[in-house]
Amino acid sequence: WIVWICGRKRRKGEPPLITGWLPFIGVTLDYVSNPLGFLRETQKKYGNVFTCTIAGKYFTFVTDPFSFSTVMRQSKNLDFQKFAVGFSHRVFGHADFSASLFSESYREVHSIFRQTLQGLSLHQLTETMLGNLQMVLERGLPYEHDWLEEGLQSFTNRIMFEAGFLTLFGKDEGFLQANGMSGTKICMQKAVRDFLAFDRSFPVLAAGVPIGLCAEAWKAREALAEELLHDKLHHRKCISDLIQRRMDAFDRMHLDETGKARTHVCMLWASQANTLPAAFWSLYYTLRSVDAFTAACTEVNKVLSGQLINNQDQTIGLSREQLDSMTVLESIIEETLRLSSASIMIRVASNDFTLTLDSGQTADVRKGDYIALYPQLIHLDPEIYPDPTEFKYNRFLDEKGQRKSNFFKNERRLKHFLMPFGSGASECPGRFFAVNEIKQFLALTLWHYDLQLSDPDATLVPDGTRAGLGILPPSRDVFLRYRRKTNTTTE
Ligand code: HEM
């Protein structure tokens, strides 16, 4: 109680302690209103490591990018799963896996991510996504040559959500036969609406508000879970290995049926919540910059022109080599992620220990405290990226048009210069798939459509209220004009 009321005292060897004026609340308001600004200011005043009181917890921020590897290597003293699993249990309402964190069955569930989202499985998944993207695009692609108008965000969400959903969870062909394309479309529109309604409440849920108090989010999450009950999933065809193996593992763990379905909502959220805004910004920036647009179209035309379409289903095939060769699209995506990502990486100290930074400076950390890295400090550092707030489509290309990976600070080459997917043990296992699917989305929309922003001069800012949660969505939608191109028939 005394510590709670008076706040804790900094011990010798510990980093500077910034507690603000109010017990418990500490610097929460300053941090939440502008995390990047607050961290930059505090770094200026106190150096590369400092501890802040935020919502009653102690967060030690390490801001020097050369010390990120040091933090990542501390797996003995720093735990990432405890925080992530506890958070997921609270928000998604599935079983509390933190009790079984070190059990064989939980380890198996966790290892499924890497086994099914990378390596050979990645190619299968990417290929399925390409087919689904084309199916969704084809369905919404009128043949008449009139321009259509739709919000760019609504356009992106509609296409990417459905294609991504079908790729992971497969197709319900029985429902399609009974209800036709229009029935399936209505069902998918409802799923997108539920997903976005749940996702809108995410900042509040992340701040600790119980989902029971967010009626809309609760309703939307349960509606999604209803669609992902094993009973229903068993009727779907072409389920991804990822979901099939998770279903099998949860069945073996004897979770209750709603609990299993909620873990699938969690997976759905992980696969879409960042991908949708990243796809939005990638297309937005491409359309806003004449240079980016020209370079992207040239690359897409080079790869897709004259390509043989698959005879049976009339779809375009894009091999792994072709996808990898699209370095302009890759640079556009990386530049987009640099500008729009605002995630925070959090570890929990499982022991009292001493952290030695790259400079040799040491910082004592107490058991139970959080260690936090905020990659946006790197992404928007003018020394690493000149004109950091400007979109430069070729920032991640070298003189030969290949991927550039040498970025410097204090004349030293950085290992961690772009971290939208986190790093170390908790690095996003879906990162390769995410880049592939956004590349496919860009390639197909640029190939099939004439696209224009209705108001190209309007400026758009990211929604800062989601800082810390990944890719920031736009604060509002912008109108897109599009029509089918006449010359996209491949032979
Ligand atoms: C975790 C970013 C797309 C699956 C994460 C983390 C980040 C992230 C920052 C947490 C890393 C940490 O705490 O250090 C992104 C971004 C994406 C994206 C920016 C798109 C642009 C995807 C996709 C999938 C996916 C498409 C799956 C199909 C996951 C999973 C985790 C995760 C399962 C949890 C990993 C674990 O607990 O070990 N992602 N992600 N992500 N992501 Fe992604």
Side-chain angles (χ1 to χ4, degrees), residues 153-420:
Q153 195 181 17
S154 121
F155 173 88
T156 313
N157 287 351
R158 174 170 65 73
I159 295 167
M160 287 297 276
F161 182 88
E162 180 167 357
F165 185 95
L166 297 177
T167 302
L168 253 52
F169 295 97
K171 295 178 184 161
D172 189 343
E173 282 171 0
F175 185 88
L176 179 65
Q177 268 164 20
N179 300 282
M181 260 312 180
S182 61
T184 307
K185 202 171 148 191
I186 291 169
C187 198
M188 200 45 78
Q189 283 167 347
K190 173 158 178 355
V192 184
R193 271 201 311 277
D194 286 335
F195 179 84
L196 296 175
F198 172 69
D199 187 48
R200 256 195 308 280
S201 298
F202 216 79
V204 181
L205 300 175
V209 176
I211 190 161
L213 298 179
C214 308
E216 197 196 11
W218 169 274
K219 221 172 111 201
R221 187 191 76 187
E222 294 306 289
L224 290 168
E226 178 73 32
E227 290 308 310
L228 300 176
L229 286 165
H230 281 203
D231 256 359
K232 289 203 176 171
L233 291 180
H234 287 312
H235 290 106
R236 301 182 77 93
K237 297 261 178 335
C238 309
I239 292 196
S240 63
D241 273 1
L242 168 69
I243 298 303
Q244 187 59 58
R245 290 191 49 188
R246 281 170 65 85
M247 286 169 69
D248 297 343
F250 294 139
D251 283 343
R252 281 197 297 277
M253 286 166 87
H254 303 295
L255 302 184
D256 67 88
E257 292 304 312
T258 309
K260 291 178 200 169
R262 287 176 181 162
T263 63
H264 299 312
V265 177
C266 175
M267 193 59 235
L268 174 68
W269 185 84
S271 69
Q272 299 269 2
N274 287 304
T275 310
L276 298 182
F280 166 88
W281 288 113
S282 300
L283 185 54
Y284 172 78
Y285 285 127
T286 305
L287 297 179
R288 274 206 86 196
S289 150
V290 177
D291 290 347
F293 184 74
T294 311
C297 289
T298 307
E299 183 170 87
V300 170
N301 291 344
K302 197 170 117 199
V303 174
L304 292 187
S305 295
Q307 200 207 124
L308 280 174
I309 49 174
N310 294 332
N311 281 336
Q312 263 185 349
D313 54 5
Q314 301 283 296
T315 53
I316 292 174
L318 259 179
S319 67
R320 177 179 152 194
E321 289 72 28
Q322 283 173 315
L323 263 186
D324 290 348
S325 74
M326 293 181 152
T327 50
V328 170
L329 296 195
E330 182 134 346
S331 177
I332 286 175
I333 296 168
E334 292 199 317
E335 177 69 338
T336 297
L337 294 174
R338 182 186 72 77
L339 283 170
S340 60
S341 140
S343 54
I344 183 168
M345 293 167 64
I346 296 175
R347 307 282 192 265
V348 186
S350 30
N351 306 300
D352 288 348
F353 74 103
T354 302
L355 188 68
T356 307
L357 302 189
D358 173 73
S359 61
Q361 180 190 354
T362 59
D364 290 351
V365 176
R366 295 190 206 180
K367 181 176 175 178
D369 282 2
Y370 293 125
I371 300 284
L373 308 178
Y374 200 73
Q376 206 181 30
L377 284 166
I378 304 177
H379 296 168
L380 296 181
D381 183 334
E383 203 189 327
I384 305 169
Y385 298 107
D387 308 318
T389 53
E390 231 178 79
F391 175 82
K392 296 187 182 175
Y393 85 90
N394 54 359
R395 207 186 278 272
F396 291 93
L397 291 178
D398 66 15
E399 321 69 56
K400 292 189 180 139
Q402 294 306 307
R403 187 171 185 272
K404 178 175 164 179
S405 58
N406 51 341
F407 292 88
F408 295 85
K409 187 169 170 73
N410 301 333
E411 295 174 12
R412 273 177 72 189
R413 188 168 171 180
L414 283 159
K415 180 168 178 226
H416 297 291
F417 54 88
L418 187 64
M419 303 173 70

Side-chain angles (χ1 to χ4, degrees), residues 80 110 113 117 270-271 274-275 278 345 420-421 426 428-430 434 437 471:
F80 93 89
H110 198 260
F113 292 147
L117 286 166
S271 69
N274 287 304
T275 310
M345 293 167 64
F421 297 108
S426 64
C428 171
E437 59 179 338
I471 305 296

